[in-house]
Amino acid sequence: MSDPFFHPAPTPLTLDEVCQLVGAAAGEGVDLSRRVANVASLEEAGVSDLAFMDGARHVAELTRTRAGACFITERFASHVPAGTVALRVARPYAAFVAVARHLHEASLRPGSAFGQAGVAAGAMVHPQARLEADVTVDPGAVVGPGAEIGAGSVIASSAVVGPGVRIGRNCSIGAGVSLQHALLGDRVIVHPGARIGQDGFGYLGSAKGHAKVPQIGRVVLQDDVEIGAGTAIDRGGLRDTVIGEGTKIDNLVQIAHNVVIGRHCVIVSQTGIAGSATLGDFVMLGGQVGVIGHIRIGDGARIAASSNVKDDVPPGVEWGGSPAKPMREWFREVMAVQRLARGDRPAAGGRQEGQ
């Protein structure tokens, strides 16, 4: 349930408007003029809230809910308590998210921390920077020479937009973000404390020490990319570091120089991707995945959390483990180790030690 102090109360919707929005069926005799004012979980929902139920493990919570309405599949509709309107849909959670997005549109991207439109007093915008109409720059933010910022974008307090950086329209740059040598498309979200476009980690070793290799590439964040808080994305050495359209990157992720990530990927926190690795479209990496440099992960591949990827991964597969391998192979190895640890004897007819 949203806190009205941080999330302003949304405009209520009638059940008819809810059904029209997501294609839900309310059943006969339901008062479609009844309103829902907010969204909430089954446990916390009140009579003016909309909830959802998706899966047999939540039946007990469903029977006790006080929600005014609940998205539900036909299979579980009989468990909806009296006083709660059952809204039948094929995918309850997807319907719930669609309504939540409609009610709380302002929460979908960070806004101004100062709560003021335009360039605030205390912001440092270089005379050679170019800002389109309706750009917000909070106090303490710095916009360097030659930088360009598109209409509707927000630059929060203490963010630094370096020289020549291009930011598209309707972007949100969080507090304390630094952007250097970077090109951002439209509707890009960069959460607080992220570091984009700094040097890649490149050195030439010798008996005299380590000579720094110039990093002369850029970072390109395409349309609708979202970057989590504290994530670092290094600029390319010779080629650009590229994050493809619609890709979502969690907090505390490290992406090294020359990495190319495809469209609509999901990368979970504490993942590290080494230099010059390439990810296809719709790749999913679980938390704490490590990817070594110069390998390719194919379109649609999924890597389990805490895995270490050292080889090319074919498209559309599921891998896990350290080193990562096909999921079934990994599971077989884990079970074999468990059997050895328990001291299980080999099955009848199996090979014995020394044979």
Side-chain angles (χ1 to χ4, degrees), residues 146-298:
E148 297 184 2
I149 303 175
S153 292
V154 175
I155 313 299
S157 300
S158 300
V160 176
V161 179
V165 167
R166 305 293 194 271
I167 298 174
R169 293 174 175 154
N170 297 309
C171 295
S172 292
I173 308 303
V177 167
S178 62
L179 296 173
Q180 306 173 56
H181 308 92
L183 307 178
L184 280 63
D186 296 335
R187 300 173 302 279
V188 172
I189 297 173
V190 183
H191 287 278
R195 304 291 181 230
I196 312 295
Q198 61 284 335
D199 278 7
F201 193 69
Y203 296 89
L204 178 63
S206 72
K208 296 182 179 180
H210 304 288
K212 192 176 185 68
V213 178
Q215 304 291 294
I216 57 176
R218 307 171 298 181
V219 171
V220 178
L221 306 181
Q222 295 181 356
D223 293 349
D224 300 302
V225 164
E226 185 161 355
I227 307 298
T231 284
I233 303 177
D234 297 340
R235 70 175 181 263
L238 295 177
R239 74 181 192 186
D240 292 336
T241 301
V242 179
I243 313 297
E245 172 187 347
T247 285
K248 313 300 181 185
I249 298 177
D250 199 359
N251 304 332
L252 300 175
V253 170
Q254 160 65 20
I255 297 175
H257 58 186
N258 305 333
V259 168
V260 175
I261 295 175
R263 299 174 302 119
H264 305 293
C265 296
V266 174
I267 299 174
V268 182
S269 63
Q270 299 183 16
T271 287
I273 303 177
S276 299
T278 300
L279 279 63
D281 298 338
F282 292 94
V283 169
M284 297 184 69
L285 304 182
Q288 298 183 327
V289 165
V291 179
I292 72 166
H294 300 274
I295 67 168
R296 178 175 180 83
I297 299 179

Side-chain angles (χ1 to χ4, degrees), residues 1-34:
M1 185 177 296
S2 63
D3 185 326
F5 185 78
F6 295 108
H7 306 281
T11 302
L13 295 173
T14 66
L15 291 182
D16 183 56
E17 289 171 328
V18 170
C19 290
Q20 293 292 331
L21 183 64
V22 299
E28 295 183 4
V30 172
D31 180 8
L32 294 179
S33 65
R34 182 173 175 178

